[in-house]
Amino acid sequence: MTNVLLHRSRAFKRLAGSNVDILTFDGDTDYGVVRRTLEARGDLDPGIQIRNMWEELRAASDSALGKKLFQVRHRNKHFAPLGKGTGDNSLKRTRLADDGETVRQVDYFRADGSLLVSDRRDVPGKHKRNVTLCDHAGKPLHSWTRVSDLYYFWLDKVIGDDVAYLTIDSKTVANFMYQYRRDNAATIYLLHNSHLTAGEPAPYGRLTASRLAGLQHLDEFDAVATLTSAQHRDLTGLLGDGGNLHVIPNSRSLPDVEESDGGRERTKGVVVARLSSTKRLNHAIQVIANLEQDLRLDIYGSGSRHASLQSLINKLGVQDSVKLWGHRDGAAEAFQSASFTMLTSKFEGFGLTLVEAMAVGCIPFAYDVKYGPSDIIEDGVSGFVIDFGDAAAMTEALKSFLAKPEHEVAAMREAARRRARLFADDEVVRRWGGMFTQLEGQKQPVRGFDVRIKSADIRSTANGELVVEVEAASSRSLEAPIAHICFLGRASDVAIRELTEAEPVSSGRTAATYKAVIAAEKYQWPETGILDLFLDIRDSSGFARTRITASKSNTGKQLAENVSSYATKYGNLSLRFRADAD
């Protein structure tokens, strides 16, 4: 339950009058305690409710859970509940494998002791799993081979016939929600952090493993929103745009402040951040030490790096200049009297503390990390964007700022306040409303379709580009289709997509030729492994991903010095980097 999610929910209710249900699937958290804690903090306003699947399934009557479905009879042979021991009041029992670690089965119970769900994970055969929902007598009502289908079952009960906009903040939930397609529900995946593994150069790099499934299926969401234009650009560069990408930043309730800065000390800085290695606050401390001036930096936050940072402060001899104050509620209010702040992180999802500082005229000095600062700050106008990790450059920028005439500093503070207004709640809620309205106009009844590959050609050009041309026919006519050639790494975190140009084939309305030209640096960067080729097509009603078939004309080609095409044992087209075998 993130502060960003709660803040956005309150803004929706306060500014748009929209009630918000926060839906959770976690079976191990006591949400009664969570609600009471949030209410005591004032974070759970009327009209915002937290709903948990396990709570509601336990409370549901047998009639509310629905009639027994056919597949339950078919799968009853895999239903083997663990049962509860005498006097056992727990709501969950787990069966482990012989190694004492691998989970083989989890059974969930109601408060009255009756079996609610039996989740077997060692079922023989193709699916390996059997998830069974039971009535109050412990008899099976519904059965599925994926736990996500239980989640979908509950979502259908929650939504009913209403129109719903499902904003997905969790990367874990996004990894299965891309398959949830309903006529009356729009799915919106909100990316809070980088889509690339830490340290990977943008735009071409390996995807974050924990977000892999969701990122590989972006076209199947009704909308995907990044927090910054920079991430939108990098995401599009690697994975293309299926016509559903948006940019909507995080927001803040900005205070009304006096524009006069006469009482502000130029040499006072404030940083609000976790004391963790990713925030790299040792750089901020080093900058203060480098300047050898009478400066003051107050750092608010707690974390595992407190002792090491204090040791660095002592080593550099800046105990009188830099203070670690620990966590304090309302620490961001310190920006009102501060002259500057610093952001030295290795990465950010957005950088809301920059907005909070700028809103009250506190000048930000921020590394150009992925993502946030370059979208928030106008370099040299409302703050300073410093090359990533360059503490010496940040030192020089702060030195220059301290020497500026007062009228120039005043102009920067005013520019910072003006820039922060772009991220105020009312502005951002308006952007959300615009996207919802757009989705309402675009949403069509879900209609799946199949695609048949009729022929495919692959070749390289003299300058190293890769040209892929596919003729394909769909099982129905497509409405404004957007197609990509898709490369997925075999059992890896690699995904590459390139937009195609489509030309209808005269033989019928459902056939077309799709052609993509992929730059050498875009498809050659993985350097190792195997890339399987697909044709992705998205239209207003559905999505299809189809494996591109191999032929004698498109296999056995040396496409680059270290890349060749080949036919898999199933007759499909793949690229192989040198030294990697099928």
Side-chain angles (χ1 to χ4, degrees), residues 332-361:
E333 294 176 3
F335 289 133
Q336 295 183 23
S337 61
S339 176
F340 64 90
T341 187
M342 290 186 280
L343 187 148
T344 52
S345 305
K346 295 179 180 178
F347 57 86
E348 287 285 340
F350 182 65
L352 270 174
T353 57
L354 297 177
V355 174
E356 292 173 324
M358 293 167 68
V360 292

Side-chain angles (χ1 to χ4, degrees), residues 234-282:
D234 287 347
L235 188 67
T236 302
L238 180 64
L239 299 177
D241 183 354
N244 60 340
L245 296 188
H246 303 259
V247 179
I248 302 183
N250 288 331
S251 70
R252 270 293 175 259
S253 301
L254 302 184
D256 294 323
V257 295
E258 295 290 337
E259 295 188 4
S260 172
D261 296 298
R264 199 187 296 257
E265 297 178 29
R266 180 86 67 90
T267 57
K268 180 181 178 182
V270 165
V271 170
V272 179
R274 294 192 317 275
L275 307 189
S276 65
S277 59
T278 59
K279 296 300 181 182
R280 208 161 39 180
L281 293 173
N282 57 307

Side-chain angles (χ1 to χ4, degrees), residues 383-521:
F384 299 89
V385 181
I386 315 296
D387 286 345
F388 179 73
D390 193 341
M394 184 170 284
T395 301
E396 288 302 311
L398 184 53
K399 181 179 179 180
S400 172
F401 169 74
L402 293 171
K404 282 182 178 293
E406 191 58 43
H407 72 276
E408 291 186 16
V409 173
M412 288 195 77
R413 297 197 194 286
E414 175 54 28
R417 282 189 282 260
R418 185 170 58 249
R419 184 70 175 175
R421 284 298 312 164
L422 297 177
F423 308 99
D425 286 340
D426 55 348
E427 291 291 334
V428 175
V429 168
R430 190 175 296 113
R431 293 175 71 164
W432 277 101
M435 184 179 68
F436 291 155
T437 299
Q438 181 180 337
L439 290 175
E440 183 180 13
Q442 293 176 343
K443 187 73 174 175
Q444 300 292 325
V446 177
R447 292 193 300 149
F449 60 93
D450 297 317
V451 173
R452 180 171 60 89
I453 305 297
K454 302 178 72 174
S455 66
D457 180 59
I458 188 168
R459 61 187 184 275
S460 56
T461 65
N463 61 1
E465 294 174 328
L466 191 67
V467 180
V468 182
E469 198 164 353
V470 178
E471 184 179 342
S474 58
S475 58
R476 64 166 173 81
S477 59
L478 304 177
E479 302 172 18
I482 297 175
H484 291 83
I485 298 298
C486 175
F487 304 79
L488 295 182
R490 180 91 52 89
S492 77
D493 47 9
V494 173
I496 303 166
R497 297 204 317 164
E498 186 67 37
L499 186 66
T500 68
E501 295 180 356
E503 290 290 339
V505 175
S506 58
S507 59
R509 293 176 58 198
T510 63
T513 297
Y514 302 92
K515 179 181 177 181
V517 180
I518 305 101
E521 62 270 20

Side-chain angles (χ1 to χ4, degrees), residues 80-116:
L82 298 176
K84 295 190 71 171
T86 303
D88 183 1
N89 294 320
S90 63
L91 297 177
K92 185 172 75 172
R93 286 196 67 189
T94 302
R95 174 169 61 87
L96 302 178
D98 293 339
D99 62 9
E101 296 181 0
T102 305
V103 176
R104 296 298 192 194
Q105 182 172 342
V106 181
D107 282 5
Y108 300 85
F109 299 90
R110 298 178 178 88
D112 64 6
S114 62
L115 179 64
L116 176 68

Side-chain angles (χ1 to χ4, degrees), residues 40-219:
R41 285 177 9 198
D43 287 340
L44 207 59
D45 293 351
I48 301 172
Q49 60 176 337
I50 298 173
R51 301 179 63 174
N52 177 256
M53 182 187 77
W54 296 100
E55 283 185 349
E56 297 196 0
L57 290 179
R58 286 188 174 104
S61 65
D62 289 348
S63 60
L65 293 177
K67 296 180 180 179
K68 182 185 293 187
L69 300 182
F70 169 77
Q71 66 263 34
V72 175
R73 296 195 298 273
H74 176 67
R75 297 185 188 134
N76 261 351
K77 61 182 179 180
H78 302 310
F79 178 61
L82 298 176
K84 295 190 71 171
T86 303
D88 183 1
N89 294 320
S90 63
L91 297 177
K92 185 172 75 172
R93 286 196 67 189
T94 302
R95 174 169 61 87
L96 302 178
D98 293 339
D99 62 9
E101 296 181 0
T102 305
V103 176
R104 296 298 192 194
Q105 182 172 342
V106 181
D107 282 5
Y108 300 85
F109 299 90
R110 298 178 178 88
D112 64 6
S114 62
L115 179 64
L116 176 68
V117 171
S118 181
D119 180 7
R120 279 195 63 186
R121 306 177 188 185
D122 59 352
V123 173
K126 174 183 177 182
H127 297 294
K128 309 296 184 185
R129 197 161 186 173
N130 187 58
V131 181
T132 304
L133 176 66
C134 300
D135 63 16
H136 280 72
K139 302 297 183 182
L141 280 176
H142 308 289
S143 183
W144 305 277
T145 58
R146 305 177 305 178
V147 70
S148 56
D149 287 320
L150 173 64
Y151 302 154
Y152 303 156
F153 170 84
W154 177 61
L155 287 175
D156 288 343
K157 296 290 184 182
V158 168
I159 297 169
D161 296 327
D162 293 338
V163 174
Y165 297 94
L166 302 174
T167 303
I168 303 156
D169 289 80
S170 164
K171 58 189 177 184
T172 304
V173 174
N175 284 338
F176 63 80
M177 276 300 292
Y178 69 87
Q179 294 180 303
Y180 186 75
R181 303 285 292 171
R182 301 293 187 268
D183 292 350
N184 60 324
T187 54
I188 303 156
Y189 182 15
L190 182 58
L191 280 166
H192 285 280
N193 281 293
S194 176
H195 53 286
L196 297 178
T197 300
E200 289 288 293
Y204 308 135
R206 298 182 184 278
L207 299 176
T208 307
S210 59
R211 296 180 174 84
L212 188 59
L215 291 171
Q216 288 182 340
H217 295 87
L218 294 181
D219 281 3

